[in-house]
Amino acid sequence: MASVILQAEGLKRHFGGLKAVDGVDLALNAGEIHALIGPNGAGKTTLVSLLSGRQVPDAGAIRFDGTDITRLPAHERVRRGIGYTFQITAIYAGLSVFDNLALAVQRGHTRDLSRAVTEAAARVGLEDLLPQIAGTLSYGHQRLLEIGMGLALHPRLLILDEPTQGFAAGEIEGFMALVRGLVPATTVLLIEHNMDVVMALAERITVLDQGRVLASGLPAEIRANRAVQDAYLGGSHAGD
């Protein structure tokens, strides 16, 4: 039986009358790729903020590797092995690719900085672009740089929030190969609107709708779920 690396129970986050996250349970098995999907306004972005420590839940608990992290700030979760990327790139546009990766590597207290940066760049296919200013990269390469910065921390759990947004069609296959190569050493939580990517990568899928879990299961089960079809698969695939 797979071990659970992250367990969220009864998470709630309300904004006035809006129940953005309303009693969500989520369990991530170690070494798996788990996708989180749902229509616009489903609560995906708020849930990611709760898991990464950017927001504190109104109720509920989050445990990582058996330890309660519900009230830990984001930087402390990073130190414990939770890495994440955002819907909007969070790179340092005025610095080189090398310097962006170096800043991430330094947070991991790596002794051989140059070697660690080169290895991180190679993992995302940017080793030939290390001198380039990050803000001049294509959007797809900026997304890869952000993922590389996350991987430089050697996370045990990597949360990827809409990672293929802005990718050209030819870049998506390379991204999927990258993600497949992360497991089982790294658990991946993938928040993604591209259902072809979700179905190709995810071992399990959780569907949110109106702040609650609508369904959770294997890709084939989710695809065949009538409630999911009505709420999401039959409609818009845009992220929130």
Side-chain angles (χ1 to χ4, degrees):
M1 185 176 179
S3 62
V4 174
I5 190 169
L6 184 139
Q7 180 90 45
E9 297 179 337
L11 289 185
K12 293 185 179 182
R13 186 71 170 97
H14 298 172
F15 300 95
L18 174 64
K19 298 179 179 180
V21 172
D22 191 27
V24 167
D25 295 336
L26 178 69
L28 304 182
N29 293 330
E32 76 170 351
I33 301 172
H34 191 123
L36 180 68
I37 66 172
N40 283 341
K44 303 186 300 294
T45 298
T46 301
L47 179 58
V48 168
S49 294
L50 297 177
L51 297 178
S52 63
R54 295 163 63 201
Q55 293 185 28
V56 178
D58 297 322
I62 305 169
R63 298 181 70 84
F64 181 66
D65 198 22
T67 300
D68 191 326
I69 62 168
T70 309
R71 301 290 167 179
L72 286 183
H75 70 270
E76 182 62 24
R77 298 188 197 198
V78 169
R79 193 183 71 81
R80 289 173 182 251
I82 300 178
Y84 52 89
T85 67
F86 305 110
Q87 283 190 28
I88 302 172
T89 55
I91 62 172
Y92 300 95
L95 300 180
S96 68
V97 171
F98 182 97
D99 288 341
N100 269 269
L101 291 169
L103 288 170
V105 166
Q106 287 174 339
R107 294 175 71 180
H109 307 290
T110 302
R111 292 183 179 180
D112 191 340
L113 179 63
S114 182
R115 178 179 177 181
V117 167
T118 301
E119 289 176 350
R123 293 189 74 181
V124 293
L126 297 179
E127 61 268 36
D128 294 333
L129 298 177
L130 285 171
Q132 189 165 333
I133 299 300
T136 67
L137 295 172
S138 69
Y139 189 78
H141 280 157
Q142 290 184 21
R143 299 293 294 176
L144 288 174
L145 173 57
E146 190 186 19
I147 294 171
M149 292 168 69
L151 293 176
L153 298 167
H154 301 289
R156 299 175 62 199
L157 168 63
L158 182 61
I159 301 172
L160 299 174
D161 193 0
E162 302 287 3
T164 68
Q165 183 175 297
F167 273 16
E171 296 173 320
I172 291 179
E173 283 297 329
F175 166 78
M176 291 197 295
L178 168 65
V179 173
R180 289 191 185 102
L182 298 179
V183 296
T186 303
T187 303
V188 176
L189 177 60
L190 176 68
I191 298 86
E192 180 56 59
H193 68 281
N194 186 322
M195 290 307 300
D196 291 335
V197 172
V198 168
M199 292 298 176
L201 285 178
E203 298 166 59
R204 290 194 302 140
I205 300 172
T206 294
V207 186
L208 286 188
D209 187 35
Q210 298 182 30
R212 297 184 176 184
V213 174
L214 180 63
S216 187
L218 302 175
E221 295 171 337
I222 296 302
R223 192 187 292 274
N225 187 300
R226 180 57 61 87
V228 174
Q229 293 174 3
D230 292 343
Y232 185 52
L233 296 182
S236 171
H237 291 178
D240 68 352

